[in-house]
Amino acid sequence: MTPTQQLQSGIQALGLDLSAEQQTQLLAYTGLLKKWNKTYNLTALRDEAQMVSHHLLDSLTLPPYLEGAQTMLDVGSGGGQPGIPAAVCRPDLQITLLDANTKKTSFLQQAAIELELKNVRVVSGRVEAVQGLRADVITSRAFAELADFVNWTAHLLQDGGCWAAMKGVYPAAEIDRLPDSVCVERVDKIRVPQLNAERHMVISAEKINKGRLKASDGLYTHFRQITVQFPAM
């Protein structure tokens, strides 16, 4: 199976509707990862088939959770997952890719230019120090445990927004260590096509704060209407 066929099969299994141009952009992104990997140490994967399954298809499980969002922040974006695939899928969504490693943010900036992703901006720095930025959805993939993730990014969460943490095995211990100010709204088990590994999406939001229940207002009303069911492979 060629990378193109592999991607098409995975997109179909995920129930996504992506144009031929968007699929070309996604494959061009893996080409950039391969090209710049030796210089920037972006991924441990070298095989293009694994890049499609582990980077593209894994990241493409996020878009169903972005309904109703206007802005998204990808924290610890690294080589651009899940932010760049999400930006390809949702050109209407303003996405910020944040990483403290300047080599990786240099790559992200170049990738955004070469892929003509006008909805992407790149920020270099530690997330705790970032100011002047708010997002409806804050996401991360293999960045930090849940408590650190929400504590470090709480000042960046838009009113009525939510956190969407992409995890491997069910993070029971991490959920137990979340601060009292945060509630987990749902944990979905995700089946990623062509990837034989556990995946979970943890959606959380702030609890009642000064008389306002953020988790039930604004953006999060969209998430409650979504049931993500990926067919078995």
Side-chain angles (χ1 to χ4, degrees):
M1 185 182 294
T2 67
T4 299
Q5 293 170 328
Q6 185 185 358
L7 179 61
Q8 289 173 341
S9 174
I11 288 172
Q12 182 178 14
L14 290 171
L16 298 176
D17 182 16
L18 299 183
S19 68
E21 181 181 358
Q22 287 172 308
Q23 294 179 44
T24 298
Q25 280 181 294
L26 290 170
L27 291 172
Y29 166 55
T30 61
L32 291 173
L33 280 174
K34 289 180 65 176
K35 178 181 177 180
W36 294 104
N37 196 37
K38 290 183 180 179
T39 303
Y40 293 118
N41 192 26
L42 302 168
T43 174
L45 302 179
R46 300 293 186 269
D47 180 69
E48 190 169 3
Q50 286 189 311
M51 287 187 177
V52 171
S53 59
H54 288 66
H55 292 330
L56 294 185
L57 298 181
D58 195 21
S59 295
L60 291 177
T61 61
L62 178 63
Y65 295 88
L66 302 176
E67 292 292 331
Q70 295 181 338
T71 53
M72 187 193 94
L73 171 63
D74 178 9
V75 179
S77 189
Q81 306 99 38
I84 288 182
V88 171
C89 291
R90 287 284 307 274
D92 62 311
L93 184 67
Q94 296 303 307
I95 294 179
T96 300
L97 309 179
L98 172 65
D99 203 280
N101 186 310
T102 55
K103 286 187 176 182
K104 290 180 178 178
T105 53
S106 294
F107 165 76
L108 294 174
Q109 189 66 60
Q110 186 62 31
I113 292 170
E114 293 198 29
L115 297 172
E116 298 183 347
L117 297 174
K118 294 179 171 57
N119 58 328
V120 167
R121 72 164 170 165
V122 179
V123 175
S124 181
R126 296 184 63 82
V127 64
E128 309 97 302
V130 172
Q131 299 293 332
L133 169 66
R134 303 291 294 277
D136 296 323
V137 177
I138 300 179
T139 189
S140 71
R141 177 177 178 260
F143 168 64
E145 83 157 57
L146 290 172
D148 290 335
F149 174 49
V150 301
N151 284 328
W152 293 341
T153 61
H155 65 294
L156 304 175
L157 187 65
Q158 190 69 265
D159 289 348
C162 70
W163 289 281
M166 303 177 75
K167 291 289 184 178
V169 298
Y170 184 86
E174 291 187 33
I175 290 173
D176 289 341
R177 289 192 291 269
L178 279 168
D180 292 338
S181 61
V182 173
C183 61
V184 173
E185 296 288 347
R186 61 190 289 179
V187 181
D188 290 339
K189 186 172 184 178
I190 304 296
R191 181 182 292 277
V192 181
Q194 306 165 27
L195 184 60
N196 185 24
E198 282 193 57
R199 291 290 187 268
H200 290 83
M201 185 74 70
V202 182
I203 303 297
S204 56
E206 292 183 336
K207 288 182 180 178
I208 295 174
N209 182 23
K210 297 181 180 179
R212 178 172 53 197
L213 183 58
K214 289 188 176 181
S216 65
D217 294 337
L219 173 71
Y220 204 82
T221 58
H222 295 275
F223 287 90
R224 289 180 168 175
Q225 298 169 12
I226 297 172
T227 301
V228 180
Q229 293 182 332
F230 299 133
M233 296 296 292

